[in-house]
Amino acid sequence: MADDQIVIGASLPLSGPLAGFGKFQQWGYQTAVDEVNKAGGIAIDGKKRMVKLVVRDDKSDPNTAASNTESLISRDHSVAVLGSCTPALVNAGALVAERAKVPMVTGCDPLGAFTSVKKWKYVWDLFFAEPDTAQATIQTILSYNLNTNKKIAILHDNGPDGQVVGGVIWPKAAADAGFEIVQQASFPVDNTQFTSIVAEAKAKGADIVVVDAITPQAVSIRKQMGSAGYKPKVLVIEKGAEPLQFAQALGALSDGVLVGGYWDPSFPYPGAKDLAARFEAETKLTSSQHIADSYTAAQVLLDAIAAASSLDRPKINEAIAKTDKIYVVGPVKFDAAHTAKLPLVELQWQSGKTVVVWPKDHATGTILFPLP
């Protein structure tokens, strides 16, 4: 019966420009729930209960993410919730959960963007830290001794993470490593025309271009670079180049594009290889790293409910705080800021799939250089 179910909710971008993330997240969340139910559910006060996952589409809109989270709590009676994707969506829902004192576990929110909002009490984030994205690319260039003129153009959106990564972290990391920043340009998150900033990067002779933008913009920038005949030796596209949707939209133009990665099926963690194989067998699609952080976030929450053996939200929250376990993404143990940092590698799109190219001892393929 419904009254015997444990309801958890999630607001996800299943439509709109971020849908390339949400559909992978939904699979990860649902897979974790299905596994628990297949094993008999979770014991609450000595009685086994099935878990029900309620998912609402936030349409890639922060206001909808907030209202969805409110509905998941008040209307669907979720005992706890799981997060959306990107800082704008995750943080919007997280603020609602925090005010309601409802536990939330999320991935897909870079740690600096998460901790900059407030000191959290009920919301927990497992993901990568923004400074590591810049270092991963720089160390890739240095470790392979890639032959460039060290001129770098930085193009980023004016969203919360774009401003931090493109406006602060990348310029500092590049300057510290001895690169010459010849261009630093920002643009609105709904911009569609990039011909002028692409032309400027080409005119200034930047061998290295770093972009931080959501997927539709990332695709447009890459296409417009091709149309302009601009072929830097190194092209890094953070955020927008993560989902499979990026490579599908570009075909061969995605080859050689670098992006920071926090998970790959080759990682030496329990279930990593199997998780990707299961996704591809079930969906007939190429896997994405977002199946891993979402699957883990749901597992962390479900483990905490089981450990609390209660639907009391403060008790569940206390159990989340005590998380200390190796999951498919690696060790998860939250710090005082409610974050668990995942290590970054550098991925590169090659023939429609990502391969790990850095660190060298984790590489699953040979780096393409210069950009094809």
Side-chain angles (χ1 to χ4, degrees):
M1 294 180 60
D3 290 345
D4 293 329
Q5 293 178 322
I6 301 167
V7 180
I8 60 174
S11 175
L12 293 174
L14 301 179
S15 61
L18 298 174
F21 296 100
K23 291 172 183 177
F24 290 106
Q25 287 185 288
Q26 184 177 24
W27 185 89
Y29 288 162
Q30 190 64 60
T31 297
V33 168
D34 289 346
E35 288 178 354
V36 164
N37 287 339
K38 187 176 180 180
I42 296 176
I44 302 297
D45 297 326
K47 181 181 178 182
K48 287 276 190 171
R49 297 194 188 187
M50 295 293 105
V51 180
K52 179 183 178 183
L53 174 67
V54 179
V55 175
R56 291 177 177 265
D57 180 11
D58 58 37
K59 303 176 183 178
S60 304
D61 175 65
N63 291 328
T64 305
S67 62
N68 278 355
T69 306
E70 173 61 39
S71 294
L72 288 165
I73 295 167
S74 62
R75 186 178 302 176
D76 300 308
H77 307 293
S78 299
V79 69
V81 289
L82 296 161
S84 188
C85 194
T86 73
L89 300 179
V90 174
N91 294 343
L95 286 168
V96 173
E98 183 78 6
R99 284 195 299 269
K101 297 182 179 180
V102 173
M104 172 188 275
V105 182
T106 189
C108 213
D109 192 354
L111 304 188
F114 174 73
T115 56
S116 68
V117 177
K118 63 174 296 161
K119 184 174 176 59
W120 300 98
K121 294 182 179 179
Y122 276 82
V123 186
W124 310 81
D125 183 24
L126 54 100
F127 213 47
F128 65 84
E130 293 92 332
D132 292 348
T133 62
Q135 288 304 319
T137 301
I138 286 173
Q139 291 306 314
T140 299
I141 294 171
L142 297 178
S143 68
Y144 281 99
N145 195 26
L146 300 183
N147 183 24
T148 73
N149 61 10
K150 290 200 167 186
K151 292 183 177 181
I152 183 170
I154 302 174
L155 319 176
H156 64 92
D157 66 36
N158 61 5
D161 51 340
Q163 290 178 334
V164 172
V165 174
V168 179
I169 292 171
W170 256 110
K172 182 180 186 308
D176 288 349
F179 293 89
E180 179 188 357
I181 301 169
V182 297
Q183 181 189 12
Q184 190 174 346
S186 67
F187 46 83
V189 293
D190 58 353
N191 198 44
T192 57
Q193 275 300 324
F194 305 93
T195 51
S196 61
I197 60 175
V198 167
E200 182 180 347
K202 181 181 179 182
K204 292 187 174 179
D207 271 358
I208 306 165
V209 176
V210 180
V211 178
D212 190 286
I214 62 175
T215 302
Q217 291 178 308
V219 169
S220 295
I221 290 170
R222 181 67 188 100
K223 285 182 176 178
Q224 289 172 35
M225 289 175 71
S227 297
Y230 178 34
K231 190 187 290 186
K233 290 185 175 180
V234 178
L235 175 58
V236 183
I237 303 183
E238 296 297 346
K239 187 168 61 186
E242 285 182 38
L244 179 64
Q245 176 187 7
F246 174 80
Q248 289 175 328
L250 289 170
L253 273 179
S254 68
D255 283 351
V257 174
L258 295 164
V259 60
Y262 52 87
W263 185 78
D264 186 81
S266 66
F267 284 10
Y269 303 129
K273 184 177 180 180
D274 177 64
L275 189 71
R278 286 164 57 194
F279 175 84
E280 295 185 357
E282 290 178 17
T283 66
K284 310 305 178 188
L285 299 172
T286 301
S287 66
S288 158
Q289 59 185 348
H290 288 284
I291 65 174
D293 63 305
S294 55
Y295 176 71
T296 300
Q299 284 190 314
V300 167
L301 177 56
L302 295 167
D303 284 349
I305 295 172
S309 189
S310 169
L311 300 185
D312 180 76
R313 287 164 173 161
K315 288 182 180 179
I316 295 171
N317 201 54
E318 289 172 9
I320 296 170
K322 296 175 182 176
T323 300
D324 187 2
K325 181 178 173 180
I326 298 178
Y327 290 90
V328 72
V329 294
V332 175
K333 185 176 182 178
F334 294 106
D335 59 20
H338 285 214
T339 66
K341 187 168 87 165
L342 306 181
L344 268 187
V345 299
E346 195 74 357
L347 304 174
Q348 186 178 57
W349 284 103
Q350 298 181 12
S351 301
K353 293 188 176 185
T354 54
V355 300
V356 179
V357 294
W358 178 88
K360 287 184 176 181
D361 59 357
H362 285 73
T364 60
T366 303
I367 192 169
L368 290 178
F369 178 83
L371 188 73

